[in-house]
Amino acid sequence: MRKHSIIGFGIGILIFLAINLLMAHLSSDCGLPAVFGRDPCADDIARAGWPLQFYEEGGFAYRYNFNMLFLAINIAVGVIFSVILGWLYSQNKKTVPK
């Protein structure tokens, strides 16, 4: 049962990271490369964070915003989501007696 909950937790973390990467790609002006600073755009805006946006940088009139509280809330939401998914995954698996 512990093995199943760890697998479910790992799947939950991967889903949460994939959603965050997708949202960073969709909300940034030049996509995901803008978040990593590898884009060819001149005055793009890079944004990151889901469900709360904790990072924003760039633009014609340059600005930089980083909110540590929103980052902590995002991490907490990801961990809670993963724990719930791990618990649900362990409840649905039937163990075979040896």
Side-chain angles (χ1 to χ4, degrees), residues 16-49:
F16 193 76
L17 287 175
I19 290 171
N20 269 288
L21 286 174
L22 178 66
M23 291 309 297
H25 177 72
L26 295 176
S27 65
S28 297
D29 288 349
C30 289
L32 198 55
V35 176
F36 298 116
R38 310 304 286 165
D39 61 325
C41 301
D43 59 351
D44 62 331
I45 298 175
R47 297 176 184 96

Side-chain angles (χ1 to χ4, degrees), residues 4-79:
H4 294 298
S5 62
I6 292 173
I7 291 171
F9 183 83
I11 291 171
I13 289 288
L14 289 176
I15 290 170
F16 193 76
L17 287 175
I19 290 171
N20 269 288
L21 286 174
L22 178 66
M23 291 309 297
H25 177 72
L26 295 176
S27 65
S28 297
D29 288 349
C30 289
L32 198 55
V35 176
F36 298 116
R38 310 304 286 165
D39 61 325
C41 301
D43 59 351
D44 62 331
I45 298 175
R47 297 176 184 96
W50 183 85
L52 299 174
Q53 180 181 318
F54 61 87
Y55 173 75
E56 183 176 30
E57 178 182 21
F60 184 69
Y62 183 79
R63 66 181 173 274
Y64 175 80
N65 294 324
F66 182 78
N67 192 328
M68 186 64 96
L69 177 63
F70 285 1
L71 176 62
I73 291 170
N74 284 346
I75 291 171
V77 167
V79 169

Side-chain angles (χ1 to χ4, degrees), residues 66-96:
F66 182 78
N67 192 328
M68 186 64 96
L69 177 63
F70 285 1
L71 176 62
I73 291 170
N74 284 346
I75 291 171
V77 167
V79 169
I80 290 169
F81 171 74
S82 299
V83 166
I84 290 171
L85 194 66
W87 180 76
L88 289 173
Y89 191 76
S90 68
Q91 296 301 314
N92 289 333
K93 298 295 175 183
K94 295 180 181 176
T95 58
V96 178

